[in-house]
Amino acid sequence: MFFVKVVPMLYREALNRAIDETMEIDSNVVLLGEDIGIYGGSYRVTEGLFAKYGEKRVIDTPIAELSIIGNSVGMAIGGLRPVAELMTANFALLAFDQIVNHMAKLHYMSAGKITLPMVVRLPQGVSKQLAAQHSESYEQMLSSVPGLIVFAASDVNYAYHALKKAILLDDPVIFIEHELLYNKEGEVDFESDIDPFKARVVKEGSDITVVSYLKMVDDVLEAVPEIEKNLGKSCEVIDLCSLNPIDYQTLAASLKKTSRLVVVEEDHKKGGFGSQITSWVAEEMFYLLDAAPLRVAGEDVPIPYNRKLELASIPTPEKIVKQIVEWGEKSGL
């Protein structure tokens, strides 16, 4: 029988396949969340799984995020491998007590006697006119909690492999997706051995290290040709993939080549996740830098509903080009 090694699929289809395959090999894997059963999920990630595995393993829950995560914690303690879906990261705020005080801490507080093999999937970020209460990014809070592994899937192949490995880990994982990536097309290489903790060098370069994650990786790649044309220099683009822990080794190897750092993130600049990367560079790589790091980030405002204002509040390929080119010229690149 001929086995196709590389298969084109959508981002949401890759997530679906990862869940399906782990449920098939391990009967302890269960799903729970709002509308994930018969309806197939708000973003169609769980489509078809209810019909295949039934209501005991694909559980439609009430609109009660605290209960969803609390039940997942209990299931994990009891030996199951729950995969909880929250409809948006904004709603995760209702479950932060369970996420921070139980999901993240029980293994440590029980001296390792309790294990929590569980995953919380949550989409986040600015989609299209979903307004402030459905458009936030909370990776800066989640990745700062000791005890939580945090993955951010920007790539179809990574989404498949990382989610599959996250479900089979014996540690609690926050798996962040982006609302505008679900219909992104890509290829899954089933023979690739993806380390979900390792950053991806998406494009090699020699003069500027541009670090990003989630949807901003695509926006950076769209901006890079214009940046290189204007500055006459080449950019190395790195997708962080894992936000906790961070693969500093890959970042350090890139900065030793380029000596210049740009971090691009969709989140608000004040207190945003990118500050962790720039502070690490200042502390550990300062004497290798030829210029101060640049952060390209969202504005410090609630995300507006109006589409023009919404786009004005976050980085776009055009803004990324403008800010990096101005920074490069100012710093003598």
Side-chain angles (χ1 to χ4, degrees), residues 26 28-30 72-73 75-83 103 107 114-120 166-173:
D26 190 341
N28 288 319
V29 178
V30 296
S72 297
V73 169
M75 289 175 171
I77 292 172
L80 298 177
R81 291 184 178 273
V83 181
M103 179 179 172
H107 181 70
I114 294 174
T115 58
L116 288 100
M118 61 178 289
V119 177
V120 177
I167 295 170
L168 297 176
L169 282 174
D170 288 333
D171 300 295
V173 179

Side-chain angles (χ1 to χ4, degrees), residues 45-66:
V45 172
T46 55
E47 195 165 32
L49 299 178
F50 182 85
K52 186 173 181 179
Y53 296 103
E55 63 182 9
K56 289 187 177 180
R57 295 188 64 194
V58 183
I59 304 165
D60 273 321
T61 68
I63 303 173
E65 286 74 17
L66 183 67

